């Protein structure tokens, strides 16, 4: 049975409510929460009917979608899960689901050798590992880096759809430096992932300048069809935009040639996993390995270097060298008693 997007939002919202056992959930409470979720994700202002939520609960209780949710009513008024550990997100895949997913993985694996699809390799590997583990009733043998509790991940689907459909977004956003949140219209062009954090890139109504917003700083987001979408007429691509940057922060300042001395203990890690695609080995000696990268001086560059602590020494440019020295000295002062 096919399930549409709105129905999935309703099921997941009801599931989230019933898993929260610190609160007692009446049918009216569930209706309010589902209506809020549909407004946040789909911009639906009409709300949802009592009959629809009752039908959703019956569907979740049944085996039509494989949920068989143990939803009970307490005191003839409050809805909850009889099993406190139950969630529709934890149900095992059916044999039919496994067959279809296996077929999909096999199709995707055929593209792994093609240059244009190299970025699919990690995705295919993840799918293959999870499908195999489910089919053989065992744990997956590949553990990829993840941060399931990161704020803002719930906004990914809506923002992705808005980019594909070229729809403006109305966002309530509060940066780490701002004292309070502010609203803005964003014309999103692409999504950027860096070290398990997600960012959306585009332009605001008030300026043609390209902005980068962290999804974990977005409080609310919705489609605003009353605005005219501003497309990426400059032909910007992520590959070109981040060409001289480490991470999501691009200041469009002139890139500089950065030379760094890496101690022998840390050199193998940097050689096998370059800091940037422009990385070149300049020299190797008993003191260490000297590399060069051509990049902008941004926050992420400093973080990468500081992450190696005594394992790296910036040789040039002087401004970056002094900045790293200053921050290391400040860090050392915190350990003085």
């Amino acid at each position: 049975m096919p399930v549409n997007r709105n129905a999935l939002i309703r099921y997941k919202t009801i599931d989230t409510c019933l898993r929260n056992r610190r609160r007692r959930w009446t049918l009216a409470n569930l209706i309010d929460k589902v209506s809020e979720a549909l407004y946040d994700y789909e911009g639906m202002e009409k709300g949802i009917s009592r009959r629809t939520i009752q039908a959703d609960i019956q569907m979740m209780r049944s085996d039509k979608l494989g949920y068989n949710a143990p939803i009970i009513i307490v005191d003839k008024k409050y809805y909850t899960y009889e099993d406190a550990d139950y969630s529709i997100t934890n149900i095992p895949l059916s044999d039919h689901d496994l067959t279809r997913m296996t077929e999909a993985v096999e199709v995707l694996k055929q593209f792994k050798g093609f240059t244009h699809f190299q970025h699919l390799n990690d995705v295919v590997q993840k799918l293959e590992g999870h499908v195999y583990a489910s089919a053989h009733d065992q744990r997956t043998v590949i553990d990829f880096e993840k941060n399931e509790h990161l704020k803002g991940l719930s906004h990914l689907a809506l923002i992705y759809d808005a980019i594909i459909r070229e729809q403006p977004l109305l966002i309530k956003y509060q940066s780490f430096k701002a004292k309070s949140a502010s609203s803005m219209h964003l014309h999103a062009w692409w999504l950027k992932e860096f070290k398990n954090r997600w960012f959306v890139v585009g332009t605001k109504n008030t300026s043609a300048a390209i902005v980068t917003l962290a999804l974990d700083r977005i409080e609310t987001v919705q489609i605003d069809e009353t605005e005219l979408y501003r497309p990426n007429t400059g032909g910007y691509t992520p590959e070109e935009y981040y060409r001289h940057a480490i991470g999501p922060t691009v200041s469009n300042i002139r890139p500089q040639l950065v030379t760094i001395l890496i101690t022998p203990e840390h050199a193998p890690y940097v050689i096998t996993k370059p800091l940037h695609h422009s990385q070149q080995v300049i020299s190797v000696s008993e003191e260490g390995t000297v590399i060069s990268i051509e990049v902008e001086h941004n926050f992420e560059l400093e973080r990468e270097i500081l992450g190696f602590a005594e394992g790296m020494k910036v040789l040039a440019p002087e401004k970056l060298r002094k900045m790293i020295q200053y921050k290391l000295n400040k860090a050392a002062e915190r350990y003085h008693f």
Side-chain angles (χ1 to χ4, degrees):
M1 171 182 287
V3 180
N4 64 35
R5 177 183 171 86
N6 287 352
L8 284 175
I9 292 173
R10 298 198 305 269
Y11 299 153
K12 289 190 68 175
T13 304
I14 294 172
D15 178 67
T16 300
C17 291
L18 300 186
R19 288 169 61 193
N20 180 7
R21 304 178 76 84
R22 292 173 296 181
R23 177 174 173 179
R24 307 182 82 183
W25 297 95
T26 65
L27 189 62
N29 296 148
L30 296 176
I31 291 171
D32 289 341
K33 282 294 183 181
V34 171
S35 296
E36 290 175 10
L38 288 172
Y39 178 77
D40 289 340
Y41 286 103
E42 299 293 301
M44 293 179 56
E45 299 182 357
K46 187 178 180 181
I48 205 73
S49 70
R50 181 185 183 93
R51 179 178 297 180
T52 297
I53 296 299
Q54 290 175 323
D56 288 342
I57 291 173
Q58 287 303 111
M59 179 64 73
M60 292 171 68
R61 282 171 169 162
S62 74
D63 62 354
K64 291 182 180 179
L65 298 177
Y67 292 160
N68 294 299
I71 301 175
I72 59 173
I73 303 177
V74 179
D75 297 335
K76 299 182 180 181
K77 184 176 182 181
Y78 303 106
Y79 289 79
T80 187
Y81 282 141
E82 187 174 22
D83 180 358
D85 296 324
Y86 178 85
S87 171
I88 63 173
T89 60
N90 295 333
I91 63 171
L93 293 170
S94 66
D95 291 339
H96 179 64
D97 292 333
L98 282 172
T99 299
R100 295 185 66 177
M101 290 184 70
T102 301
E103 292 172 352
V105 169
E106 289 301 319
V107 171
L108 289 172
K109 283 171 65 178
Q110 297 179 43
F111 293 96
K112 289 176 70 175
F114 292 87
T115 303
H116 295 309
F117 294 93
Q118 285 181 351
H119 61 284
L120 284 176
N121 289 356
D122 288 347
V123 176
V124 174
Q125 198 72 67
K126 290 180 184 180
L127 285 171
E128 191 173 13
H130 287 303
V131 171
Y132 181 86
S134 298
H136 294 80
D137 193 26
Q138 67 179 46
R139 296 182 183 275
T140 180
V141 295
I142 304 176
D143 183 35
F144 289 89
E145 184 181 5
K146 53 188 176 290
N147 186 350
E148 296 170 349
H149 302 291
L150 182 67
K151 289 181 59 179
L153 292 181
S154 59
H155 302 316
L156 265 176
L158 187 148
I159 295 175
Y160 174 83
D161 287 344
I163 294 172
I164 297 299
R165 299 172 184 174
E166 297 191 337
Q167 297 174 309
L169 293 165
L170 178 59
I171 292 177
K172 189 175 181 181
Y173 187 82
Q174 182 176 2
S175 68
F176 287 121
K177 296 180 180 179
K179 294 181 179 180
S180 61
S182 59
S183 296
M184 67 181 76
H185 282 95
L186 181 75
H187 309 273
W189 294 349
W190 65 72
L191 286 158
K192 168 74 171 175
E193 187 267 343
F194 182 70
K195 294 187 180 298
N196 275 171
R197 291 188 71 203
W198 284 91
F199 304 83
V200 58
V201 179
T203 59
K204 297 190 292 185
N205 264 12
T206 54
S207 172
I210 301 175
V211 295
T212 300
L213 304 180
L215 264 63
D216 54 34
R217 306 308 302 162
I218 294 177
E219 295 187 359
T220 61
V221 57
Q222 66 186 71
I223 305 293
D224 189 349
E225 296 181 350
T226 64
E227 290 290 321
L228 185 65
Y229 180 78
R230 184 190 296 164
N232 179 4
T233 56
Y236 297 100
T237 65
E239 293 78 15
E240 183 63 27
Y241 187 69
Y242 300 111
R243 182 181 176 185
H244 296 299
I246 292 176
T249 307
V250 177
S251 56
N252 291 317
I253 62 175
R254 190 186 185 111
Q256 296 177 300
L257 191 67
V258 177
T259 54
I260 304 171
L261 172 66
I262 310 167
T263 61
E265 297 86 356
H266 292 81
Y269 296 97
V270 182
I271 299 302
T272 54
K273 187 183 179 183
L275 299 178
H276 188 256
H277 64 80
S278 64
Q279 180 171 306
Q280 299 288 332
V281 174
I282 303 301
S283 64
V284 179
S285 65
E286 291 185 359
E287 188 181 4
T289 300
V290 177
I291 65 165
S292 70
I293 53 176
E294 189 174 0
V295 292
E296 294 182 4
H297 181 170
N298 64 5
F299 175 76
E300 287 78 17
L301 171 63
E302 293 182 8
R303 287 288 298 271
E304 286 290 323
I305 296 171
L306 290 168
F308 283 89
E310 83 290 350
M312 279 190 177
K313 178 182 179 181
V314 176
L315 303 178
E318 188 62 21
K319 181 179 179 181
L320 176 61
R321 174 185 167 89
K322 288 183 176 180
M323 178 60 72
I324 298 299
Q325 182 182 31
Y326 169 78
K327 290 191 174 183
L328 286 173
N329 286 336
K330 294 293 288 185
E333 288 175 5
R334 293 187 177 275
Y335 288 90
H336 293 163
F337 295 97

